[in-house]
Amino acid sequence: MMGTKTERLSATLADITRAAGILRSGGLVAFPTETVYGLGGNARNDDAVAAIYEAKGRPSFNPLIAHLPSVEAAKRYVSWSDQAERLARAFWPGPLTLVLPLLEGHGISPLVTAGLDTLAVRVPAHSAARALLSAFDGPIAAPSANPSGRISPTSATHVRAGLDGRIEAILDDGPCTVGLESTILGLFDRPTLLRPGGISADEVAEVLGAAPLTRNGAEAITAPGQLQSHYAPSSSVRLNALDRRGDELLLGFGDMDCDVNLSQSGDLIEAAARLFAALHELDQTGRPIAVAMIPQYGLGAAINDRLRRAAAPRNI
């Protein structure tokens, strides 16, 4: 991705149409929301989502928020509830993200959900974001448009400083008005505040009639903006394997004899895009999994981060 010529686009109809076309072709577009600028990719395209991680240098595959143009669009991907309806009426479009169970046949890349069976969804209020989402007519996965670990961007200038040459385009429509990431609320057994943001817990409580629970930092990851990861196969996982032992199945990388290959050509973007699907495929056999060595650079660092967590001892 490095060395890409980054187009400068504005919030005109022609440029928004151009940005939507880039997204449909699998490219990345930074765009403004009322909170911060997001780095958008087609949430249904594995390669596009993997490219988001590559461009950001994101250290692990944390869940991403799927941005949508309307409540009706969100209902195509997640199981809606009365609580979701009340919150959406109160705060959408706006800086509130809801985490809800995925519907069957959702088509969302597993890299967006980080292997979870839930999806974080938001309808942003920014006019340019809404225009782009309508023109694209699908879910756009978008973390903040900055290199991982850097200050979140609230202007196109901030985005250019960190990502110029790494992404296809930046849609510039001036500074963000909120400047703070969205509040993330998990609608599980009890509404749970997963990340504070532009909507306060008191405002949420006023709509729901009770204060949301607060997430315990030691719990497994359930949403964007949290540090721990969660996905692990039910079978044991052995890393840096050179061959199979016993009845193991081998998850390979590069030109090698294996049962499932993340990338025959050794392409880390392809490997990242295939990671979760490959682990699921092997896990369904019930046999132990051995994983070949993955280079520890670029997206390889993120792949290895996920694999280390998958191989870690589990609490039974």
Side-chain angles (χ1 to χ4, degrees):
M1 188 68 68
M2 192 64 169
T4 297
K5 180 175 174 54
T6 301
E7 293 185 45
R8 271 65 167 175
L9 304 176
S10 61
T12 63
L13 177 59
D15 278 2
I16 286 171
T17 301
R18 168 63 181 155
I22 292 171
L23 290 169
R24 277 192 288 273
S25 69
L28 304 184
V29 177
F31 64 97
T33 76
E34 70 278 17
T35 57
V36 299
Y37 271 70
L39 178 55
N42 184 350
R44 296 169 295 191
N45 182 322
D46 290 342
D47 290 337
V49 181
I52 291 174
Y53 288 99
E54 171 75 7
K56 284 179 63 69
R58 198 172 172 100
S60 62
F61 295 125
N62 295 328
L64 303 178
I65 297 172
H67 295 70
L68 295 153
S70 66
V71 172
E72 291 70 28
K75 290 178 180 178
R76 298 173 196 161
Y77 303 99
V78 293
S79 179
W80 208 240
S81 66
D82 290 341
Q83 290 177 330
E85 184 69 23
R86 287 154 61 192
L87 290 162
R89 287 180 181 176
F91 301 118
W92 278 3
L96 177 68
T97 295
L98 301 177
V99 181
L100 293 156
L102 279 162
L103 291 176
E104 290 289 332
H106 52 79
I108 298 292
S109 167
L111 284 177
V112 174
T113 64
L116 297 164
D117 58 4
T118 55
L119 178 66
V121 292
R122 178 163 97 89
V123 177
H126 195 287
S127 59
R130 292 174 62 75
L132 177 61
L133 285 158
S134 295
F136 178 64
D137 192 28
I140 298 178
S144 57
N146 59 298
S148 186
R150 299 280 293 278
I151 299 170
S152 293
T154 56
S155 73
T157 299
H158 297 160
V159 178
R160 282 195 295 272
L163 297 178
D164 195 28
R166 291 179 172 271
I167 63 177
E168 279 71 18
I170 301 170
L171 180 62
D172 185 353
D173 196 28
C176 303
T177 55
V178 175
L180 181 69
E181 285 89 348
S182 64
T183 299
I184 301 180
L185 193 70
L187 296 182
F188 312 126
D189 295 333
R190 288 274 305 277
T192 303
L193 182 65
L194 302 176
R195 183 181 75 182
I199 301 293
S200 71
D202 288 342
E203 291 175 288
V204 170
E206 188 173 341
V207 171
L208 295 180
L213 299 177
T214 301
R215 175 182 175 272
N216 181 338
E219 294 173 1
I221 191 168
T222 49
Q226 300 172 352
L227 294 178
Q228 289 185 316
S229 187
H230 120 289
Y231 180 76
S234 55
S235 301
S236 64
V237 177
R238 182 171 64 89
L239 304 182
N240 300 322
L242 300 176
D243 52 22
R244 303 171 184 84
R245 294 177 184 172
D247 63 346
E248 288 180 337
L249 294 174
L250 181 60
L251 178 59
F253 178 80
D255 187 10
M256 64 182 301
D257 173 38
C258 58
D259 298 284
V260 175
N261 201 317
L262 291 175
S263 174
Q264 182 78 21
S265 64
D267 185 316
L268 288 170
I269 291 180
E270 180 185 14
R274 285 182 45 77
L275 177 62
F276 289 112
L279 286 172
H280 278 295
E281 180 181 346
L282 292 174
D283 193 34
Q284 288 173 0
T285 68
R287 291 167 61 181
I289 300 169
V291 184
M293 183 175 294
I294 308 295
Q296 184 65 19
Y297 61 81
L299 271 184
I303 294 169
N304 284 322
D305 173 85
R306 176 61 61 180
L307 289 171
R308 281 191 296 270
R309 295 170 190 273
R314 303 102 188 248
N315 294 322
I316 304 301

